[in-house]
Amino acid sequence: MDHMETKKNVERPLAFVKHIILIMSGKGGVGKSTVAVHLALRLKNAGFKVIRGVRTVRAKIRYLGITEGIGNILVGLLDADLCGPSIPTMLNIEQKKSKFSKNWEPVFVDMEQRLCVMSVGFLLTNRNDAIILRGPKKNATIKQFLNDVDWPDLDYLIIDMPPGTSDEHISVIENLREYNLDGALLITTPQAVATGDVRRELSFCKKTVIPIIGIVENMSGFVCPYCQECTNIFSKGGGEFLANQLEVPFLGRIPICPQISRYQDGHAESLKLFSQTNEADSIEAIVKKLVK
């Protein structure tokens, strides 16, 4: 790589990110951030592994029925919900701050430095302060998070988008045009009021030429931890019906799980318990479809 190419890529920190996935929904409260967090946690152990600093060498051996390689997969998680940053709380890292030298530095979640996060939540003096931003300031902040953060050479960048189809969405898309955008993963709950909003989000993706990776139906039933009987609190099948109707992939259902709420409220030990549940298996199955 010559000097000019090196300089160009320093100015384009996402140039070596191999996969970029948007987590989207037209509606709030359907669990986008929860799915984004679990997707990031699972992907860092999902199997496509690249030797750090070597971008062209991949080796494959067996792992969870997918593939595995040498080295460690690196995952980034960008919290693009500027007015409601919840990712730091969900990962129990809200007490950390992003350092700034020439650019902002993402915050690493794990000791191995395989999962890093950037969120406006790291920039607040008081985490209870309201974040009040007009459209131009939102656009500038999104551009800064994508272009002025020292992201490492990531295998995956997961972007947790805010609900709707407004300024933040357009800014993200405009700033990702030259990069490796895989597409959007749309999250819904089963009931019609949620799938209707996701239908509009899918229309937005088509108009802005964003590939649709698939639809995930979240909060799809509650499995009793004692008898294993599933109760469909919010009905069932809305996400799959929408996917079939619009001819996009349906990637699976994720049931309601109390362990998710416990560890996202700061009970770190519940993450280990969650990994042993049927709900964790559902997320694992979705990840396998993403990386196959």
Side-chain angles (χ1 to χ4, degrees), residues 82-85 124 126-133:
L82 301 181
C83 294
L124 298 177
N126 184 341
R127 67 186 185 187
N128 295 319
D129 285 344
I131 302 167
I132 304 171
L133 300 172

Short mmCIF file of all heavy atoms in Angstrom, two decimals, residues 82-85 124 126-133:
data_model
loop_
_atom_site.label_atom_id
_atom_site.label_comp_id
_atom_site.label_asym_id
_atom_site.label_seq_id
_atom_site.Cartn_x
_atom_site.Cartn_y
_atom_site.Cartn_z
N LEU A 82 -29.68 8.80 18.92
CA LEU A 82 -29.00 9.89 19.62
C LEU A 82 -29.77 10.40 20.84
O LEU A 82 -29.17 10.80 21.83
CB LEU A 82 -28.77 11.05 18.65
CG LEU A 82 -27.93 10.73 17.40
CD1 LEU A 82 -27.76 11.97 16.54
CD2 LEU A 82 -26.57 10.16 17.79
N CYS A 83 -31.09 10.40 20.76
CA CYS A 83 -31.88 10.96 21.86
C CYS A 83 -32.28 9.90 22.89
O CYS A 83 -32.82 10.25 23.94
CB CYS A 83 -33.13 11.65 21.30
SG CYS A 83 -32.74 13.10 20.31
N GLY A 84 -32.02 8.66 22.60
CA GLY A 84 -32.33 7.59 23.55
C GLY A 84 -31.26 6.54 23.56
O GLY A 84 -31.51 5.36 23.26
N PRO A 85 -30.01 6.91 23.92
CA PRO A 85 -28.90 5.95 23.87
C PRO A 85 -29.00 4.92 24.99
O PRO A 85 -28.78 5.24 26.16
CB PRO A 85 -27.66 6.84 24.04
CG PRO A 85 -28.16 8.03 24.82
CD PRO A 85 -29.58 8.25 24.39
N LEU A 124 -21.97 12.23 27.69
CA LEU A 124 -22.79 13.03 28.60
C LEU A 124 -22.09 13.25 29.93
O LEU A 124 -21.48 12.34 30.48
CB LEU A 124 -24.13 12.33 28.84
CG LEU A 124 -25.03 12.10 27.63
CD1 LEU A 124 -26.28 11.33 28.05
CD2 LEU A 124 -25.40 13.42 26.97
N ASN A 126 -23.89 14.19 32.62
CA ASN A 126 -24.88 13.56 33.49
C ASN A 126 -25.76 12.66 32.64
O ASN A 126 -26.42 13.12 31.71
CB ASN A 126 -25.73 14.65 34.18
CG ASN A 126 -26.72 14.07 35.18
OD1 ASN A 126 -27.05 12.89 35.15
ND2 ASN A 126 -27.19 14.91 36.09
N ARG A 127 -25.76 11.37 32.92
CA ARG A 127 -26.48 10.42 32.07
C ARG A 127 -27.99 10.63 32.12
O ARG A 127 -28.71 10.07 31.29
CB ARG A 127 -26.15 8.99 32.48
CG ARG A 127 -26.65 8.58 33.85
CD ARG A 127 -26.14 7.20 34.19
NE ARG A 127 -26.69 6.71 35.45
CZ ARG A 127 -26.30 5.60 36.05
NH1 ARG A 127 -25.35 4.87 35.49
NH2 ARG A 127 -26.85 5.20 37.18
N ASN A 128 -28.49 11.43 33.08
CA ASN A 128 -29.92 11.71 33.16
C ASN A 128 -30.33 12.96 32.39
O ASN A 128 -31.52 13.31 32.35
CB ASN A 128 -30.35 11.86 34.63
CG ASN A 128 -30.19 10.57 35.41
OD1 ASN A 128 -30.50 9.49 34.92
ND2 ASN A 128 -29.69 10.68 36.64
N ASP A 129 -29.36 13.64 31.78
CA ASP A 129 -29.66 14.84 31.01
C ASP A 129 -30.42 14.50 29.73
O ASP A 129 -30.11 13.50 29.06
CB ASP A 129 -28.37 15.58 30.62
CG ASP A 129 -27.74 16.31 31.79
OD1 ASP A 129 -28.45 16.50 32.81
OD2 ASP A 129 -26.55 16.67 31.70
N ALA A 130 -31.40 15.33 29.40
CA ALA A 130 -32.09 15.18 28.12
C ALA A 130 -31.15 15.58 26.98
O ALA A 130 -30.34 16.51 27.12
CB ALA A 130 -33.34 16.05 28.10
N ILE A 131 -31.24 14.87 25.87
CA ILE A 131 -30.43 15.18 24.69
C ILE A 131 -31.34 15.88 23.69
O ILE A 131 -32.23 15.27 23.10
CB ILE A 131 -29.83 13.89 24.09
CG1 ILE A 131 -29.00 13.17 25.16
CG2 ILE A 131 -28.99 14.20 22.87
CD1 ILE A 131 -28.61 11.77 24.79
N ILE A 132 -31.12 17.18 23.52
CA ILE A 132 -32.01 18.00 22.69
C ILE A 132 -31.22 18.46 21.47
O ILE A 132 -30.30 19.29 21.58
CB ILE A 132 -32.54 19.21 23.48
CG1 ILE A 132 -33.24 18.73 24.76
CG2 ILE A 132 -33.49 20.03 22.63
CD1 ILE A 132 -33.62 19.84 25.71
N LEU A 133 -31.55 17.90 20.31
CA LEU A 133 -30.81 18.18 19.09
C LEU A 133 -31.76 18.52 17.95
O LEU A 133 -32.74 17.80 17.73
CB LEU A 133 -29.96 16.97 18.68
CG LEU A 133 -28.89 16.48 19.66
CD1 LEU A 133 -28.30 15.17 19.16
CD2 LEU A 133 -27.80 17.52 19.83
#
